[in-house]
Amino acid sequence: MQCVKVLGGVVGAAALLGLGIILGHFAIPKGTDSPAPSVSVPQDLDLELLETVMGQLDASRIRENLRELSKEPHLATTPRDEALVQLLLQRWQDPESGLDSAGTSEYEVLLSFPSQEQPNHVDVVGPTGDIIHSCRRSEENLTGEQGGPNVVPPYAAYAPPGSPQGLLVYANQGTEEDFMWLSNQGIQLQDTIVLTRYGGIGRGAKAVNAAQHRAAGLLVYTDPGDINDGKSLPNETFPHSWGLPPSGVERGSYFEYFGDPLTPYLPANPSSFRLDPANVSGFPPIPTQPIGFEDAKVLLCQVNMSIHNRLELRNSSNVLGIIRGAVEPDRYVLYGNHRDSWVHGAVDPSSGTAVLLELSRVLGTLLKKGTWRPRRSVVFASWGAEEFGLIGSTEFTEEFFSKLQERTVAYINVDISVFANVTLRAQGTPPVQSVIFSATKQIPAPGTSSLSIYDNWIRYSNRSSPVYGLVPSLGTLGAGSDYAPFVHFLGISSMDLAYNYDRSKTSARIYPTYHTAFDTFDYVDKFVDPGFSSHQAVARTAGSVLLRLSDSLFLPLNVSDYSETLRSFLQAAQQHLGALLKQHSISLGPLATAVEKFEGAATVLDQHISTTQKGTPDPLQVRMLNDQLMLLERTFLNSRAFPEERYYSHVLWAPRTGSVATFPGLSNACSRATNTGAGSAAWAEVQRQLSILVAALENAAATLRPVADL
């Protein structure tokens, strides 16, 4: 990799020569020129200090952070994006509130931009080629912020250039089922321009499906029924409400994978092998352009698209800030968010970065005063070029794959910190459920009620647990933000935290101005979170979780919570697939036995930890038990399980295309095999997926058993 620039004084380490040194050598003796303050490290989580941190997280400071972060557009690799790199470095190197060290690393990655010389455009043309209607090339300048020179015009990142012309066909959400329905109606799709609405499937999949049915081009719009609860008039939408204006266009990446397109599984360093851009898979196969719903409703005739996107190699920076652990410096708690946005990005991602900066300020102040140093190391990260496909975080995990797998306790992601100001929304792998619950039970919910965040959360989103009774619903992690490479590629217990809206009161699939030029500071200040109390609530939740993970003697990861997930997956497979599998002489018995082994091993480990906590544990005993908790997630990885899916190795959380909500590999394989004959390759794949699951679960159980038992 290129060398890492480390600016300012370094506390507790010698000069940092590279990111590997930042991550790997916390145990270097303290430098004489910059000694670390003497601080007594508590044996366990200090609840008094936890309360101090909760009280010092300031909503008004978060608000001012957001104002600064979102005052200008900061598309990845643009001058403003690089200016924010310097802002983060300045904050994390502050002599009164900074961290032990901070540095940057650059990756040379392939991004996609619209041509300034030849703007993309979409026209309705008549039989003689005359233009009847031209779609907007930019959004309406409603507040003075949409017309600036640095506002990137709406475009589909990585869509190829081209100027197709053809009859328009509406294809709903562009799913395979939608296209099959059109074909069954006798509608010819060859050489047409397909119009779809966002939702249902990913952006890139819409283009792939359209191309498979021989369409020449694709248009995608945001339907007011999906985002505004049907409201579409100018006086019903922003700036009069939080609704998306008629001219609003959702930008986004249409690349199907994540990471740098040219260097899959390799960090995008100068020495790395790069694919030929002409041979890269995962790009949209046909010209594609997003438009606003005001234009979508008038596209009735023959349409001409002229797309002039171009691919460019650009240097994109990650920024890391480090607090060195006092007892276990080689165990990392990572907390991250991306920095880049499509335009001003006040909600996405600056609401998360505003929270990150406030939390790091509070912890940095305690660190500099000498009143606190964590047991384990804390790594704050600002990822680059996430919007183009989780690029910064993926390159980081590729470069430090082994080190991160061996040493990372958990990854906390706070991207969009506040979608709306009603209730918490948390997603994560099962072991992090307990630490999120513990944190939220101790923090008051925003508003006038006396409820905790936990009690408020359970009112809006809950489920019945056979173990705990009624609990808040913890969502699962897909690939929507930078947690993806950590959980799917590295097998690290991960979570994503945000405040959200009441889903019973709106059909909005996401906050309305998502990825548009209307996602501004005033939008957040007036409509999303006036007073910033929900931002403060997320800061407190994330801060409490961070401290519990970094300071607790025993890691607060409850591996038994995986038992409930495994049991529910097994029951779904038995109920919905058992009879079909039996017809093909495939038994779920070994899988059921493996689940039982896991449940038993998890119960025994829980009991062992409980007993050990009551005594005076030997530090090595604690370390061994914590390693069992930390490494459990890794046991569910199998790099050969899904050869068709790049980076997806986690056999429990890979993409599921089958209809049965069970183990994804088994569900997908059964779906593909259903209409094939006995003894087919498809049924052999079902058996392979079952074997992969059994092996993973037995390895997981073995990891949880006493370490002396081989």
Side-chain angles (χ1 to χ4, degrees), residues 266-592:
L266 295 170
N269 294 328
S271 62
S272 290
F273 169 78
R274 282 175 165 76
L275 300 173
D276 183 339
N279 299 326
V280 170
S281 61
F283 289 160
I286 54 177
T288 301
Q289 177 70 12
I291 60 174
F293 63 78
E294 72 173 1
D295 282 318
K297 69 182 180 180
V298 300
L299 298 183
L300 304 173
C301 307
Q302 184 150 285
V303 178
N304 173 275
M305 303 170 60
S306 189
I307 307 302
H308 301 282
N309 298 339
R310 63 182 187 272
L311 299 172
E312 291 186 26
L313 279 172
R314 293 276 190 96
N315 289 328
S316 178
S317 299
N318 291 338
V319 189
L320 294 184
I322 315 293
I323 300 176
R324 177 178 47 81
V327 180
E328 298 181 80
D330 62 333
R331 290 292 178 262
Y332 315 146
V333 179
L334 269 62
Y335 179 115
N337 179 31
H338 70 101
R339 182 183 62 257
D340 63 305
S341 67
W342 286 110
V343 194
H344 295 84
V347 178
D348 181 10
S350 299
S351 64
T353 305
V355 165
L356 181 152
L357 285 172
E358 174 61 3
L359 180 56
S360 65
R361 179 195 68 83
V362 170
L363 295 182
T365 300
L366 294 174
L367 183 75
K368 294 299 185 182
K369 287 181 177 178
T371 57
W372 170 78
R373 179 171 290 280
R375 178 183 185 86
R376 302 176 186 91
S377 296
V378 173
V379 181
F380 290 107
S382 174
W383 310 117
E386 185 268 1
E387 294 293 9
F388 288 84
L390 320 182
I391 287 178
S393 56
T394 301
E395 300 311 303
F396 177 75
T397 57
E398 288 171 336
E399 182 160 19
F400 300 104
F401 179 89
S402 296
K403 185 174 292 185
L404 293 169
Q405 271 205 328
E406 291 166 0
R407 305 178 185 180
T408 305
V409 168
Y411 175 68
I412 303 166
N413 197 72
V414 182
D415 181 344
I416 296 173
S417 67
V418 179
F419 291 86
N421 59 356
V422 175
T423 181
L424 186 72
R425 186 209 73 176
Q427 300 168 301
T429 55
V432 306
Q433 174 179 267
S434 60
V435 68
I436 298 173
F437 285 178
S438 296
T440 54
K441 287 176 180 178
Q442 304 301 317
I443 304 169
T448 57
S449 74
S450 59
L451 296 177
S452 66
I453 290 177
Y454 179 92
D455 291 331
N456 185 64
W457 180 14
I458 208 171
R459 292 169 60 197
Y460 291 96
S461 176
N462 58 65
R463 67 181 181 87
S464 179
S465 163
V467 178
Y468 305 109
L470 194 69
V471 295
S473 294
L474 183 76
T476 58
L477 296 174
S481 191
D482 290 298
Y483 51 74
F486 289 95
V487 64
H488 297 302
F489 185 41
L490 296 183
I492 291 170
S493 294
S494 301
M495 70 190 79
D496 185 72
L497 303 172
Y499 239 70
N500 204 11
Y501 39 79
D502 180 355
R503 290 192 173 275
S504 70
K505 299 290 179 61
T506 177
S507 61
R509 63 181 178 88
I510 198 167
Y511 73 97
T513 66
Y514 173 69
H515 285 190
T516 73
F518 303 105
D519 183 359
T520 62
F521 173 80
D522 284 344
Y523 179 77
V524 176
D525 202 32
K526 293 177 182 177
F527 301 113
V528 175
D529 188 25
F532 281 69
S533 60
S534 294
H535 283 76
Q536 183 184 47
V538 173
R540 288 172 170 171
T541 301
S544 180
V545 169
L546 178 69
L547 286 171
R548 291 168 190 271
L549 288 167
S550 62
D551 281 358
S552 296
L553 180 62
F554 289 89
L555 287 176
L557 299 174
N558 190 348
V559 295
S560 284
D561 285 345
Y562 246 128
S563 297
E564 192 174 330
T565 298
L566 297 175
R567 178 60 58 178
S568 68
F569 279 6
L570 175 63
Q571 290 173 345
Q574 291 170 328
Q575 180 179 350
H576 300 289
L577 299 176
L580 176 65
L581 293 170
K582 189 175 181 180
Q583 292 174 13
H584 291 268
S585 302
I586 298 174
S587 173
L588 288 172
L591 182 60

Side-chain angles (χ1 to χ4, degrees), residues 125-311:
V125 297
T128 60
D130 52 316
I131 295 176
I132 299 172
H133 173 80
S134 291
C135 292
R136 280 185 173 272
R137 299 187 185 186
S138 61
E139 289 144 308
E140 188 175 359
N141 191 4
L142 296 177
T143 64
E145 296 165 292
Q146 293 76 42
N150 296 321
V151 174
V152 68
Y155 76 112
Y158 297 108
S163 300
Q165 180 170 312
L167 297 174
L168 188 77
V169 175
Y170 176 69
N172 193 33
Q173 294 180 324
T175 66
E176 179 59 26
E177 291 75 17
D178 289 330
F179 281 105
M180 289 304 299
W181 186 89
L182 289 170
S183 296
N184 292 337
Q185 304 306 307
I187 296 173
Q188 296 297 316
L189 294 167
Q190 183 174 352
D191 298 329
T192 61
I193 306 296
V194 170
L195 173 65
T196 69
R197 59 191 175 101
Y198 276 117
I201 58 173
R203 301 183 194 98
K206 298 176 190 293
V208 170
N209 291 341
Q212 287 176 341
H213 289 269
R214 305 178 72 180
L218 174 71
L219 300 174
V220 189
Y221 77 100
T222 303
D223 195 286
D226 297 327
I227 207 81
N228 286 351
D229 295 314
K231 295 178 180 178
S232 60
L233 300 177
N235 64 355
E236 298 176 317
T237 57
F238 183 76
H240 306 288
S241 77
W242 87 321
L244 178 68
S247 68
V249 183
E250 178 182 319
R251 298 151 180 81
S253 173
Y254 283 68
F255 181 49
E256 283 198 277
Y257 305 118
F258 46 88
D260 172 43
L262 299 186
T263 58
Y265 296 105
L266 295 170
N269 294 328
S271 62
S272 290
F273 169 78
R274 282 175 165 76
L275 300 173
D276 183 339
N279 299 326
V280 170
S281 61
F283 289 160
I286 54 177
T288 301
Q289 177 70 12
I291 60 174
F293 63 78
E294 72 173 1
D295 282 318
K297 69 182 180 180
V298 300
L299 298 183
L300 304 173
C301 307
Q302 184 150 285
V303 178
N304 173 275
M305 303 170 60
S306 189
I307 307 302
H308 301 282
N309 298 339
R310 63 182 187 272
L311 299 172

